[in-house]
Amino acid sequence: MTTPKAETTTSRVLAGLRHDDSSVRLRAALAAGSDPDPGFVEPLVERCGVEPVFHVRDMLTWALTRHPETVTVPRVLAELRSPDARARSQALHTLSKIGDRGVWPAVPRPLLTDPDDEVARTAWRTAVLLAPEDEAAELSRALVSQLGRGERETQLSLSRALIELGGPAVPPVRAVAEGHPDPRVRAHALATEQLRRDPEAGFAYAVEEAKRVVSLGPDGPPGEEGGGRGADR
C-alpha cells in the first residue's frame, strides 16, 4: 500500500523533473535513481528527450539504469524512432549505459547514418559496445561509408569507433585510404590508419599527415626521399 509520504516524495520528484531550475531537475533525477519506482521511468525518458543541460541528461540516464531493464529498455528503444534528434541521441546513450547486448537487433541501423551528427556519433559508440562480434564486419562497412563526414570532432568519433572494432575494420578502411576518389574521404581513412598505428600521435597530426599524403603522395614531392615515411611510424 502506498503511504501518503511515498506519494508526496513521488510527486516532488515528478514536479522537480519539470522545474525551470536545472539544479532542481538534477536533484529530482538523483532522487529518482536513488529510490527507483516504475512510475518514474516514463517521466525520466520524456525528460531525456528535451533536457538541454548535459550533466542533467547524464543524471537522467543514470536514474534509468537504476530501474529494472524489463521496464526501461522497451521504453528507451521506442525513443530511437523519435523525430527529435536529442531524444534519439540520449536514448542511444542510455542503452549504452544499460549495456544489454541483447537489444542490438532492435536498434534501427539507419541511426548509424543519421543526418544529425550527434545522433550518428552516439550510434557509432553504442554500436561498438553492443554489436556482437559476428556482426563486426557488417558494422565496419556501415561505418566506413561515413568516412569524410562532418567536422573534426565527428571524424574523430568515427575513427575511434573503427579502431575499437579492431581487425574487421582494417580492410575496408585501408581500401578507402588506397583508392577513394574523394580526397576528403581518403584523407579521413588515412588519418584513421595513422591513428591506429600510432595512437600517441593525436588526431590533429594524423589528419594533417593524411592531407599531405593525399596531395603529394606517400613519398612526398619529387626528389624528396622518404618524405612520407612519417605516416608509417
Side-chain angles (χ1 to χ4, degrees):
M1 179 178 179
T2 304
T3 66
K5 182 178 179 180
E7 289 179 351
T8 301
T9 301
T10 299
S11 298
R12 187 182 300 118
V13 168
L14 296 179
L17 292 173
R18 299 188 297 268
H19 202 279
D20 290 341
D21 189 330
S22 64
S23 64
V24 176
R25 298 196 302 275
L26 183 70
R27 290 195 297 270
L30 175 61
S34 300
D35 188 13
D37 182 320
F40 291 152
V41 171
E42 182 68 24
L44 286 168
V45 172
E46 288 181 352
R47 189 66 215 177
C48 277
V50 298
E51 175 55 53
V53 180
F54 172 78
H55 64 272
V56 177
R57 289 200 303 272
D58 242 20
M59 186 65 77
L60 292 164
T61 282
W62 172 80
L64 284 167
T65 66
R66 297 275 295 164
H67 287 75
E69 292 180 21
T70 53
V71 179
T72 59
V73 169
R75 183 60 186 85
V76 174
L77 283 172
E79 287 293 281
L80 297 180
R81 302 184 185 279
S82 170
D84 188 275
R86 179 173 288 161
R88 298 195 301 277
S89 178
Q90 196 63 24
L92 284 161
H93 178 66
T94 301
L95 290 173
S96 75
K97 292 301 182 181
I98 291 172
D100 179 6
R101 302 186 75 170
V103 307
W104 176 245
V107 176
R109 299 304 183 266
L111 291 171
L112 297 170
T113 57
D114 195 281
D116 185 276
D117 282 348
E118 188 57 37
V119 175
R121 291 176 62 206
T122 311
W124 302 334
R125 293 193 298 267
T126 303
V128 169
L129 289 170
L130 300 184
E133 290 184 9
D134 60 5
E135 292 190 31
E138 180 182 351
L139 177 57
S140 297
R141 289 191 292 271
L143 297 192
V144 163
S145 75
Q146 300 301 290
L147 284 166
R149 171 179 176 166
E151 300 305 320
R152 183 160 295 181
E153 188 176 14
T154 298
Q155 293 195 2
L156 176 56
S157 291
L158 181 58
S159 293
R160 284 173 171 165
L162 286 164
I163 291 168
E164 282 293 316
L165 282 172
V170 173
V173 171
R174 188 164 293 160
V176 173
E178 290 175 352
H180 199 281
D182 187 328
R184 178 181 174 88
V185 175
R186 188 178 170 213
H188 188 187
L190 283 165
T192 303
E193 284 289 281
Q194 165 70 13
L195 197 62
R196 185 194 307 278
R197 290 193 297 266
D198 186 4
E200 300 302 319
F203 191 66
Y205 170 80
V207 167
E208 293 308 314
E209 180 69 3
K211 288 178 179 178
R212 188 195 65 76
V213 171
V214 168
S215 62
L216 300 176
D219 296 319
E224 181 181 323
E225 293 185 6
R229 303 308 178 192
D232 295 324
R233 289 184 300 140

